[in-house]
Amino acid sequence: MPELGWADRSSSVSEEILSDGTEVVSPPSPSPGWMMFCRCCFVLILLFTWSSAHNDFFTSIGQMTDLLFMEKDLVSSLKDYIRAEEHKLEQIKKWADRLDVLSSAATQDPECFLGHPVNAFKLIKRLNTEWRELESLVLTDMSDAFISNLTIQRQNFPNDDDQTGAAKALMRLQDTYQLDTNIISTGELPGSSSVASLTVDDCFDVGKVAYLEADYYHTELWMAQALKQLDQGETPGLVDTVNVLDYLSSSVNKQGEVERALNFTKRLLKLDPTHQQANRNLKHYEYLLSEQKVKATEEAEGRQRRESRGRTDDFLKYEQLCRGEGIGMTPRRQSRLFCRYYDNNRHPRYVIGPVRQEDEWDHPRIVRYHNIISDKEMEKVKELAKPRLHRSGVIGMKTSHFRISQTAWLKAYEHPVLDKIDQRIGDITGLDVTTAEDLQVANYGIGGQCEPHFDFAQKHELYAFEELGTGNRIATWMFYMSDVPAGGATVFTEVSVTIWPIKGTAVFWYNLYPSGEGDNRTQHAACPVLVGSKWVSNKWIHERGQEFRRRCGLQETD
């Protein structure tokens, strides 16, 4: 089905059936009502056509907070415009009421009324000057201030890519956390203290995004939710039951369930017997079923494909760990994990005030440090990073499609807090941070995630850090700078570890064996954020400068 933009919300799927049974897709025909709506909104559509500058808002909750304040300002401006229009109409109404009384009395005996010279003068004066003044008042455009503000702000509006990204995020959360569509629609998410619901039109739009991505599994789920809400009596905006059934029949047919597609088509035709595409599809589906061209085994295979949807076993394991399932913790392993006060061999800064260290895992060794960064320091880091946030990238790519976040890089000399953080990391780890990368600050967006990856450069990535000249990433230090009510865990997929974000803590691990070989057990991922805003900052420490701090070894062991 061709994409006609978000404004084309009421368009339906048009599947024509040729004489040989071949399915073709043709553009939808807009209804007369929709044509009228488009004409009425033509000026507004032009107004909202904005420049190509774009910030990928859906990839950062931190960036999206600015949108809330911008919208609040626009609402205030809109109310000012409404008050101005109301005052204008009140003036016109008073003038009309006054003349209504006057003209009613005058027209009972016009000659008598005009026989009085004052009345005659005032009639001439009203028609010559006062009606022109009224005309001027009526023609006065009270919207100038509002339109001016809106024009300035529109360059910061999200665009279709943002709306599509946000819709995909809902589907990603749905899959990862095995959420029922109705739970998302009602907004009753685990860990959420507030409730925000989706309308019929919202559900339809999510399903339409899935359809345009050829994701017929999610199309079916979201169109079914839209149909459910319609059946429950919800009043839609621009969407009607015919549109929803059109998408539903098409999506289930494309998944191999012709009989269900036929049933949805029959229901559609009860509502709109003249629907040409549905009538053609009806004959096609009946032909397929009568000729037994759709077999039960094929439908079973279709259901199996829908369940996996091309996701690998590793990816399914990643999603399982994100839900807190399948964690490889055993009583024996648990007995080897401890909490302790740590001073890094009596480091002068920590002899009196050691830090709290907790073992998260033994092989590879992953440790967490509690209360290692203050609220004041975290807020300063966020403050410095926020103006520089941009869509995350990966080696060899401008933007990352497996990483839904925005990042900024901060140098230690930019602020005393950053220098102090570098010093702390070096003191606690015993490693030289002068050859480390700048502090990377990341804020995750709607359903923000980062799929399984290694921090170190693998053997085939020969030139990954060549520009730095400091060798490979020997270790990773990561601060959690926010609590996350639901989701957002860091998972190590090779060893089945799930680490939940705790504000003010940091986790540390070595990416390389003492031999310099990469430790594949450190493959990790950031799970989608279900509820909340996730802030982290990373310090990647490199090999150079560690020659006498972490001695080399020939064995690939911890």
Side-chain angles (χ1 to χ4, degrees), residues 513-544:
Y513 288 110
S515 65
E517 292 293 321
D519 187 347
N520 291 332
R521 299 172 302 174
T522 62
Q523 179 173 265
H524 60 286
C527 296
V529 177
L530 179 57
V531 176
S533 177
K534 181 182 177 182
W535 286 87
V536 300
S537 55
N538 301 292
K539 176 64 74 169
W540 284 301
I541 305 170
H542 283 247
E543 292 177 288
R544 300 295 177 264

Short mmCIF file of all heavy atoms in Angstrom, two decimals, residues 513-544:
data_model
loop_
_atom_site.label_atom_id
_atom_site.label_comp_id
_atom_site.label_asym_id
_atom_site.label_seq_id
_atom_site.Cartn_x
_atom_site.Cartn_y
_atom_site.Cartn_z
N TYR A 513 41.14 -10.09 27.97
CA TYR A 513 41.92 -10.95 28.84
C TYR A 513 43.29 -10.32 29.06
O TYR A 513 43.71 -9.44 28.28
CB TYR A 513 42.10 -12.33 28.19
CG TYR A 513 40.86 -13.19 28.14
CD1 TYR A 513 40.22 -13.45 26.93
CD2 TYR A 513 40.33 -13.75 29.30
CE1 TYR A 513 39.09 -14.25 26.87
CE2 TYR A 513 39.20 -14.55 29.27
CZ TYR A 513 38.58 -14.79 28.04
OH TYR A 513 37.46 -15.59 28.00
N PRO A 514 44.05 -10.77 30.07
CA PRO A 514 45.42 -10.27 30.25
C PRO A 514 46.30 -10.46 29.01
O PRO A 514 47.25 -9.73 28.79
CB PRO A 514 45.94 -11.07 31.44
CG PRO A 514 44.72 -11.40 32.23
CD PRO A 514 43.65 -11.64 31.21
N SER A 515 45.94 -11.43 28.18
CA SER A 515 46.71 -11.67 26.95
C SER A 515 46.44 -10.62 25.88
O SER A 515 47.14 -10.56 24.88
CB SER A 515 46.35 -13.06 26.39
OG SER A 515 44.99 -13.09 25.98
N GLY A 516 45.41 -9.81 26.08
CA GLY A 516 45.04 -8.82 25.09
C GLY A 516 43.94 -9.29 24.15
O GLY A 516 43.43 -8.50 23.34
N GLU A 517 43.57 -10.56 24.25
CA GLU A 517 42.48 -11.09 23.44
C GLU A 517 41.14 -10.61 23.99
O GLU A 517 40.97 -10.44 25.20
CB GLU A 517 42.52 -12.62 23.42
CG GLU A 517 43.71 -13.20 22.68
CD GLU A 517 43.68 -12.92 21.19
OE1 GLU A 517 42.58 -12.98 20.60
OE2 GLU A 517 44.73 -12.62 20.62
N GLY A 518 40.19 -10.40 23.09
CA GLY A 518 38.87 -9.97 23.52
C GLY A 518 38.13 -11.06 24.28
O GLY A 518 38.21 -12.24 23.93
N ASP A 519 37.43 -10.66 25.32
CA ASP A 519 36.65 -11.60 26.14
C ASP A 519 35.21 -11.58 25.61
O ASP A 519 34.44 -10.67 25.91
CB ASP A 519 36.70 -11.18 27.60
CG ASP A 519 36.05 -12.19 28.53
OD1 ASP A 519 35.35 -13.09 28.02
OD2 ASP A 519 36.24 -12.09 29.75
N ASN A 520 34.84 -12.61 24.85
CA ASN A 520 33.51 -12.65 24.24
C ASN A 520 32.39 -12.77 25.26
O ASN A 520 31.23 -12.53 24.94
CB ASN A 520 33.43 -13.82 23.25
CG ASN A 520 34.29 -13.57 22.01
OD1 ASN A 520 34.53 -12.43 21.63
ND2 ASN A 520 34.77 -14.64 21.40
N ARG A 521 32.75 -13.13 26.49
CA ARG A 521 31.72 -13.23 27.53
C ARG A 521 31.18 -11.84 27.92
O ARG A 521 30.15 -11.75 28.60
CB ARG A 521 32.29 -13.91 28.77
CG ARG A 521 32.78 -15.34 28.54
CD ARG A 521 33.51 -15.87 29.76
NE ARG A 521 34.65 -15.02 30.10
CZ ARG A 521 35.41 -15.19 31.20
NH1 ARG A 521 35.14 -16.18 32.04
NH2 ARG A 521 36.43 -14.39 31.44
N THR A 522 31.89 -10.79 27.51
CA THR A 522 31.44 -9.44 27.87
C THR A 522 30.45 -8.86 26.87
O THR A 522 30.10 -7.68 26.96
CB THR A 522 32.64 -8.48 27.99
OG1 THR A 522 33.29 -8.38 26.71
CG2 THR A 522 33.63 -8.98 29.03
N GLN A 523 29.98 -9.66 25.92
CA GLN A 523 28.93 -9.16 25.02
C GLN A 523 27.73 -8.75 25.86
O GLN A 523 27.23 -9.52 26.68
CB GLN A 523 28.51 -10.24 24.03
CG GLN A 523 27.41 -9.77 23.09
CD GLN A 523 27.08 -10.76 21.99
OE1 GLN A 523 27.58 -10.67 20.89
NE2 GLN A 523 26.25 -11.74 22.32
N HIS A 524 27.27 -7.53 25.67
CA HIS A 524 26.20 -7.02 26.52
C HIS A 524 25.25 -6.14 25.71
O HIS A 524 25.51 -5.81 24.55
CB HIS A 524 26.78 -6.24 27.70
CG HIS A 524 27.60 -5.05 27.29
ND1 HIS A 524 28.87 -5.15 26.75
CD2 HIS A 524 27.33 -3.71 27.30
CE1 HIS A 524 29.34 -3.97 26.47
NE2 HIS A 524 28.42 -3.06 26.79
N ALA A 525 24.16 -5.78 26.35
CA ALA A 525 23.14 -4.98 25.68
C ALA A 525 22.38 -4.15 26.71
O ALA A 525 22.35 -4.49 27.90
CB ALA A 525 22.16 -5.89 24.93
N ALA A 526 21.80 -3.06 26.24
CA ALA A 526 20.93 -2.24 27.07
C ALA A 526 19.49 -2.55 26.69
O ALA A 526 19.10 -2.37 25.54
CB ALA A 526 21.23 -0.76 26.87
N CYS A 527 18.71 -3.03 27.64
CA CYS A 527 17.32 -3.41 27.37
C CYS A 527 16.45 -2.18 27.15
O CYS A 527 16.74 -1.09 27.68
CB CYS A 527 16.77 -4.22 28.55
SG CYS A 527 17.63 -5.79 28.81
N PRO A 528 15.37 -2.34 26.39
CA PRO A 528 14.46 -1.20 26.16
C PRO A 528 13.93 -0.63 27.47
O PRO A 528 13.60 -1.38 28.40
CB PRO A 528 13.33 -1.82 25.33
CG PRO A 528 13.93 -3.02 24.69
CD PRO A 528 14.93 -3.55 25.67
N VAL A 529 13.86 0.68 27.53
CA VAL A 529 13.29 1.36 28.70
C VAL A 529 11.77 1.30 28.57
O VAL A 529 11.21 1.88 27.64
CB VAL A 529 13.78 2.81 28.79
CG1 VAL A 529 13.12 3.52 29.97
CG2 VAL A 529 15.30 2.85 28.91
N LEU A 530 11.13 0.61 29.50
CA LEU A 530 9.67 0.48 29.45
C LEU A 530 9.00 1.71 30.04
O LEU A 530 8.07 2.28 29.46
CB LEU A 530 9.23 -0.79 30.20
CG LEU A 530 7.73 -1.06 30.26
CD1 LEU A 530 7.13 -1.13 28.87
CD2 LEU A 530 7.45 -2.36 31.02
N VAL A 531 9.45 2.14 31.21
CA VAL A 531 8.90 3.32 31.87
C VAL A 531 10.07 4.12 32.45
O VAL A 531 10.94 3.55 33.10
CB VAL A 531 7.92 2.95 33.01
CG1 VAL A 531 7.45 4.21 33.74
CG2 VAL A 531 6.73 2.19 32.46
N GLY A 532 10.08 5.41 32.22
CA GLY A 532 11.11 6.27 32.81
C GLY A 532 12.10 6.77 31.79
O GLY A 532 11.98 6.54 30.58
N SER A 533 13.10 7.48 32.28
CA SER A 533 14.17 8.04 31.45
C SER A 533 15.49 7.51 31.97
O SER A 533 15.80 7.64 33.15
CB SER A 533 14.15 9.57 31.52
OG SER A 533 15.22 10.12 30.78
N LYS A 534 16.27 6.91 31.10
CA LYS A 534 17.53 6.29 31.50
C LYS A 534 18.71 7.15 31.04
O LYS A 534 18.88 7.43 29.86
CB LYS A 534 17.64 4.88 30.89
CG LYS A 534 18.93 4.15 31.28
CD LYS A 534 19.01 2.78 30.62
CE LYS A 534 20.32 2.08 30.93
NZ LYS A 534 20.42 0.77 30.25
N TRP A 535 19.53 7.54 32.03
CA TRP A 535 20.78 8.27 31.77
C TRP A 535 21.95 7.42 32.23
O TRP A 535 21.95 6.91 33.36
CB TRP A 535 20.80 9.59 32.53
CG TRP A 535 19.93 10.67 31.98
CD1 TRP A 535 18.60 10.88 32.28
CD2 TRP A 535 20.31 11.71 31.08
NE1 TRP A 535 18.14 11.98 31.61
CE2 TRP A 535 19.16 12.52 30.86
CE3 TRP A 535 21.50 12.05 30.44
CZ2 TRP A 535 19.17 13.64 30.03
CZ3 TRP A 535 21.51 13.16 29.61
CH2 TRP A 535 20.37 13.95 29.40
N VAL A 536 22.94 7.25 31.38
CA VAL A 536 24.19 6.58 31.76
C VAL A 536 25.35 7.39 31.21
O VAL A 536 25.19 8.22 30.32
CB VAL A 536 24.28 5.13 31.21
CG1 VAL A 536 23.14 4.27 31.74
CG2 VAL A 536 24.29 5.12 29.68
N SER A 537 26.53 7.15 31.77
CA SER A 537 27.75 7.72 31.20
C SER A 537 28.84 6.66 31.25
O SER A 537 28.96 5.93 32.24
CB SER A 537 28.18 8.99 31.94
OG SER A 537 28.32 8.77 33.32
N ASN A 538 29.60 6.58 30.17
CA ASN A 538 30.62 5.54 30.01
C ASN A 538 32.01 6.14 29.91
O ASN A 538 32.21 7.18 29.26
CB ASN A 538 30.36 4.73 28.73
CG ASN A 538 28.99 4.06 28.74
OD1 ASN A 538 28.74 3.15 29.51
ND2 ASN A 538 28.11 4.54 27.88
N LYS A 539 32.95 5.46 30.52
CA LYS A 539 34.36 5.79 30.33
C LYS A 539 35.04 4.52 29.82
O LYS A 539 35.10 3.50 30.53
CB LYS A 539 35.00 6.24 31.65
CG LYS A 539 36.49 6.50 31.58
CD LYS A 539 36.84 7.65 30.65
CE LYS A 539 36.50 9.00 31.22
NZ LYS A 539 37.08 10.12 30.41
N TRP A 540 35.50 4.57 28.57
CA TRP A 540 36.19 3.42 27.98
C TRP A 540 37.69 3.62 28.13
O TRP A 540 38.28 4.57 27.58
CB TRP A 540 35.80 3.26 26.51
CG TRP A 540 34.43 2.67 26.37
CD1 TRP A 540 33.99 1.47 26.85
CD2 TRP A 540 33.30 3.27 25.71
NE1 TRP A 540 32.66 1.28 26.54
CE2 TRP A 540 32.21 2.36 25.83
CE3 TRP A 540 33.10 4.46 25.03
CZ2 TRP A 540 30.95 2.62 25.30
CZ3 TRP A 540 31.85 4.73 24.50
CH2 TRP A 540 30.79 3.81 24.63
N ILE A 541 38.31 2.72 28.89
CA ILE A 541 39.74 2.80 29.20
C ILE A 541 40.50 1.93 28.20
O ILE A 541 40.11 0.79 27.93
CB ILE A 541 39.98 2.32 30.65
CG1 ILE A 541 39.10 3.14 31.62
CG2 ILE A 541 41.45 2.45 31.02
CD1 ILE A 541 39.08 2.61 33.03
N HIS A 542 41.60 2.47 27.67
CA HIS A 542 42.36 1.78 26.62
C HIS A 542 43.63 1.13 27.15
O HIS A 542 44.05 1.37 28.29
CB HIS A 542 42.67 2.76 25.49
CG HIS A 542 41.49 3.03 24.61
ND1 HIS A 542 41.42 2.64 23.29
CD2 HIS A 542 40.29 3.63 24.87
CE1 HIS A 542 40.25 3.01 22.77
NE2 HIS A 542 39.56 3.62 23.71
N GLU A 543 44.24 0.32 26.30
CA GLU A 543 45.40 -0.49 26.69
C GLU A 543 46.62 0.34 27.03
O GLU A 543 47.35 0.02 27.99
CB GLU A 543 45.77 -1.45 25.55
CG GLU A 543 44.75 -2.56 25.29
CD GLU A 543 45.15 -3.41 24.12
OE1 GLU A 543 45.07 -2.93 22.97
OE2 GLU A 543 45.57 -4.57 24.35
N ARG A 544 46.91 1.38 26.25
CA ARG A 544 48.12 2.15 26.47
C ARG A 544 48.11 2.81 27.85
O ARG A 544 47.12 3.39 28.26
CB ARG A 544 48.27 3.24 25.39
CG ARG A 544 48.36 2.71 23.99
CD ARG A 544 49.63 1.86 23.77
NE ARG A 544 49.64 1.31 22.43
CZ ARG A 544 49.20 0.08 22.12
NH1 ARG A 544 48.77 -0.72 23.07
NH2 ARG A 544 49.24 -0.34 20.87
#
